[in-house]
Amino acid sequence: MIANYCTFLIAIDGPAGAGKSTIAKNLGKALGFHYLDSGAYYRCYALAALENGIEAQDETHLRQMVHTTAVSVQYPESGTPVYFVNQRDVSSDIRSQRVSLCVSPISQSPAVRDAVNLTLRKIASSGKFIIDGRDIGTVVFPDANLKFFLTASSQIRAQRRHLELQKRGEDVSLSQLKSEIEERDRMDSERAIAPLRKPEDAILVDSSSLTPDEVVAVMSEYVEKAHQRGLIR
Ligand code: CDP
C-alpha cells in the first residue's frame, strides 16, 4: 500500500491516443492521487481560438485571448472533471474532432503554453498528482518523482480513437484517423518548443497489447518499487 505523501508527482507523457487519460484517471483512483489532464487545457484554448476565429500563427491575438479567457475545471466527487471556458461547460466540445484537428497548431503558441504551464504548476504545488501530456516530464515538471512514457502503435491508437468517436456519434474513417494521429505526432514531435519526446529517465510502457487494467498494474508496481527503495519521500 502506498503511504500518504505530501507531494508526489507522476508524469505520463506520450503520443495521441496512447491511452494516457484513461490510465492516468484509473491509476489516480487506485493510488488516491489527483489527476490533471494537460491536454484538456490545450483543448480549451484551441476551442476558444476556433470560436474567436484566431489563427494558430496569430501570436498577438492568441496572447490577448489567453488573458481574456477564463479556463477552469471542477472535480465532482464522482465522475469526470468538468471543463469551463468563460463559465461555459465545454467538456464535450473539447473532445470533438474539429478541436482535435486544431489543437496541435494552437499548442505551439508560447502564450498558450505559458498559460497552461502556469496553471499546472499552481495546482500541483502540493499534494499527490498524476499529470499527463507531451512535455510534463521534460519541461513542466522535470523533477517529477516518477516518469512514464506511454505509447502504442499508430494503428492501435487510431482504433481506440475510432471507438471513442463512434460513442460520441462522430463518424470518421479509421484510415483518416490514423493519418490524422500520425500528423499530430509529427507536429507534436517536431515543434520547436516543448516537443514530444521520451524523458531520458522515463519508464517506457507500450500499451499496444495491454488492457487499461494491465497498464495500471504495471505502473502501480513501479510506484510501489520506488516507494520501497526510498526514492519517494
Ligand atoms: O487525448 P489526446 O492524446 O488526443 O491528446 P490530448 O492529451 O488531449 O492533447 C491534445 C493536444 O494538445 C496534443 O496533440 C498536443 O498538441 C497538445 N498538448 C501539448 O502540446 N502539451 C501537453 N502537455 C498536452 C497536450
Side-chain angles (χ1 to χ4, degrees):
M1 212 25 221
I2 306 302
N4 277 332
Y5 304 107
C6 293
T7 297
F8 185 143
L9 209 140
I10 301 174
I12 306 182
D13 289 303
K20 298 183 302 292
S21 20
T22 306
I23 299 307
K25 215 182 298 160
N26 294 352
L27 186 65
K29 257 190 218 149
L31 301 175
F33 283 30
H34 302 288
Y35 162 50
L36 280 184
D37 176 356
S38 65
Y41 287 89
Y42 286 102
R43 286 172 178 272
C44 286
Y45 285 116
L47 178 68
L50 208 56
E51 291 182 343
N52 287 292
I54 305 173
E55 301 282 334
Q57 298 76 14
D58 188 352
E59 185 64 15
T60 308
H61 285 104
L62 282 177
R63 191 162 287 278
Q64 280 171 10
M65 181 198 83
V66 158
H67 287 298
T68 53
T69 303
V71 171
S72 59
V73 57
Q74 276 176 15
Y75 297 92
E77 283 273 309
S78 59
T80 42
V82 186
Y83 291 90
F84 297 90
V85 170
N86 294 331
Q87 283 78 51
R88 175 166 61 100
D89 180 350
V90 295
S91 312
S92 176
D93 286 357
I94 59 170
R95 307 290 167 193
S96 66
Q97 187 59 358
R98 68 185 188 124
V99 171
S100 294
L101 288 175
C102 75
V103 62
S104 283
I106 294 291
S107 66
Q108 299 196 21
S109 149
V112 171
R113 299 208 75 79
D114 287 349
V116 174
N117 291 349
L118 190 72
T119 305
L120 296 176
R121 288 178 181 136
K122 243 191 231 164
I123 299 177
S125 59
S126 71
K128 298 182 290 181
F129 285 91
I130 300 184
I131 310 186
D132 79 340
R134 301 292 188 283
D135 60 344
I136 305 303
T138 50
V139 172
V140 194
F141 296 102
D143 296 328
N145 301 82
L146 209 48
K147 300 178 188 178
F148 292 102
F149 192 80
L150 184 63
T151 189
S153 70
S154 57
Q155 178 68 26
I156 294 280
R157 292 189 281 127
Q159 282 169 8
R160 290 175 183 161
R161 192 45 54 97
H162 193 232
L163 262 178
E164 215 175 281
L165 286 173
Q166 270 181 337
K167 279 189 201 151
R168 295 173 47 91
E170 290 192 54
D171 191 22
V172 187
S173 81
L174 188 59
S175 58
Q176 186 186 333
L177 275 177
K178 185 165 178 264
S179 37
E180 280 167 15
I181 276 188
E182 285 167 354
E183 174 59 9
R184 196 134 65 91
D185 287 353
R186 190 193 61 72
M187 276 193 274
D188 290 347
S189 313
E190 292 180 3
R191 69 185 177 207
I193 45 168
L196 167 69
R197 64 173 175 82
K198 177 184 166 298
E200 271 176 26
D201 50 351
I203 298 150
L204 178 71
V205 179
D206 187 332
S207 73
S208 301
S209 58
L210 297 177
T211 64
D213 284 351
E214 287 170 334
V215 176
V216 169
V218 168
M219 291 186 176
S220 299
E221 262 177 49
Y222 279 104
V223 177
E224 188 60 40
K225 268 188 219 153
H227 172 51
Q228 283 167 3
R229 286 161 58 204
L231 296 179
I232 300 154
R233 309 239 162 248

